[in-house]
Amino acid sequence: MGDADNATRAPESDAQEPIASPPTDGLAEQSQPVTGEHCVTDRPTPNGQSSTGEIIKLSDIDVYISKPADYPHTPSRLLLLLTGGTGIKSVNNQIQADKYATEGFLVLMPDMFAGDTTPGAAITDDSTSVLEQIKIKAVEMAKSFVIDMWLARITPDKVMPVLHKVIEAAREQYADAVRHGDGIYAVGYCVGARFVMLLAKQTEKAGGDEESAKEKEGPYIKAGALAHAASVIPDDFKDLKAPLSFACVENDPLFPDTVRSAGEDIMSDANLEHEVQVYPGVPHGFAVVGQYQDSSIQDAQATAYEQMLKWVQDH
């Protein structure tokens, strides 16, 4: 798909610290985890908006749930929403879940970090002066080491078992929604976007003999949509089976163009149904609910939401 043409550069994206990209072949794994302020901070919540769901327990895991107004009297499809580092207690993330619920999805937003959200998370506002922005950036740079240490803890070995427990419990407790959608759908933002990809894989199940080794695991979702993914490596594109939609930021150091291009080739070679929309001039994190003074970023945010919503609705 072509680049979005309705966004201009946000002031904070100019201040973003550059991070080295992988080699140009796009196939080398990033040696260090990286993240940025837009994965770990919330924008100001839009005026007059508040969340309407609640936090429940599924398999002893905290999950924010948002239901359509007429559920269960009207059939709904089940949607997992996987967040960035601000987690399920972020009002903006909760409002994001509520938006999908108003479109007829029963939304489960699990605490995939087990309460270990990013340290030093704060609300950022692009209305501050240049000097204040510089001061804020200095503080953020001081926190960067701590944040990278946090991200190093958010590994598939820790997160995937949490997601599998939530999926297993959801299949039992919300079997009607799973059945109505003929499976589970997923959307993900920032760090959470990578785990949508991992849920979309089909892999061989390890076993003690040759026959059991042939058993397959996954995919765990029917279709997924991702916005400004972080920490994705080329191997994440291998063995994908569920259709995926990507809303990407142009020249995103957290999802380098070389990795994205290599991934597109892998998906095309595998005949995986997918779409990739690149949004120029917007900051990483732009698609998550939150106020921006720049109306073009607001427009891009709305466009990305419609892109992701349409994808899960159409599949």
Side-chain angles (χ1 to χ4, degrees), residues 11-198:
E12 62 270 40
S13 63
D14 292 327
Q16 197 170 44
E17 188 73 14
I19 300 172
S21 299
T24 53
D25 62 7
L27 297 177
E29 179 173 341
Q30 292 164 282
S31 60
Q32 296 293 331
V34 293
T35 190
E37 64 179 279
H38 304 289
C39 280
V40 301
T41 60
D42 275 337
R43 300 293 304 174
T45 301
N47 291 332
Q49 294 191 28
S50 60
S51 57
T52 58
E54 61 177 335
I55 294 178
I56 63 170
K57 289 281 189 181
L58 283 179
S59 292
D60 294 323
I61 296 165
D62 285 338
V63 176
Y64 179 84
I65 183 170
S66 188
K67 303 176 182 178
D70 51 358
Y71 177 82
H73 303 294
T74 299
S76 300
R77 290 188 282 176
L78 188 68
L79 177 74
L80 291 178
L81 192 157
L82 307 184
T83 72
T86 51
I88 69 169
K89 293 184 179 179
S90 157
V91 174
N92 286 1
N93 289 338
Q94 293 177 355
I95 294 172
Q96 191 80 62
D98 296 343
K99 285 169 63 70
Y100 288 103
T102 63
E103 298 293 340
F105 287 95
L106 173 63
V107 184
L108 300 179
M109 186 168 70
D111 178 14
M112 62 184 192
F113 310 129
D116 183 19
T117 52
T118 48
I123 293 176
T124 59
D125 188 343
D126 58 356
S127 64
T128 54
S129 68
V130 173
L131 178 59
E132 289 170 328
Q133 288 285 347
I134 292 173
K135 291 179 179 178
I136 291 172
K137 177 55 63 177
V139 173
E140 291 301 321
M141 289 178 65
K143 294 176 182 175
S144 63
F145 176 76
V146 177
I147 291 173
D148 283 347
M149 290 296 290
W150 169 83
L151 189 60
R153 299 195 297 270
I154 309 304
T155 62
D157 286 346
K158 289 187 176 181
V159 174
M160 294 302 287
V162 172
L163 297 180
H164 290 160
K165 285 182 180 179
V166 170
I167 288 171
E168 183 178 354
R171 284 174 174 163
E172 180 178 345
Q173 190 162 338
Y174 303 106
D176 59 326
V178 177
R179 185 169 55 252
H180 181 66
D182 193 26
I184 296 173
Y185 299 81
V187 295
Y189 298 83
C190 300
V191 178
R194 184 192 182 199
F195 290 98
V196 171
M197 295 178 66
L198 299 186

Side-chain angles (χ1 to χ4, degrees), residues 1-2 4 100 224-227 244-248 275-279 286 300-314:
M1 296 181 66
Y100 288 103
L226 304 73
L244 294 174
S245 173
F246 293 77
C248 304
E275 67 173 5
V276 178
Q277 178 77 33
V278 179
Y279 293 78
F286 80 98
Q301 185 182 97
T303 301
Y305 170 69
E306 291 298 329
Q307 172 192 334
M308 297 170 72
L309 174 65
K310 186 176 188 301
W311 187 261
V312 291
Q313 285 179 331
D314 289 351

Side-chain angles (χ1 to χ4, degrees), residues 224-290:
L226 304 73
H228 37 73
S231 300
V232 172
I233 58 175
D235 277 353
D236 293 340
F237 290 94
K238 296 178 181 178
D239 303 315
L240 293 172
K241 296 298 181 183
L244 294 174
S245 173
F246 293 77
C248 304
V249 175
E250 186 179 43
N251 300 321
D252 187 352
L254 304 183
F255 189 12
D257 291 347
T258 51
V259 175
R260 174 171 53 79
S261 296
E264 290 186 64
D265 290 341
I266 293 170
M267 291 187 292
S268 295
D269 290 343
N271 293 317
L272 180 77
E273 183 185 1
H274 68 279
E275 67 173 5
V276 178
Q277 178 77 33
V278 179
Y279 293 78
V282 295
H284 186 96
F286 80 98
V288 179
V289 165

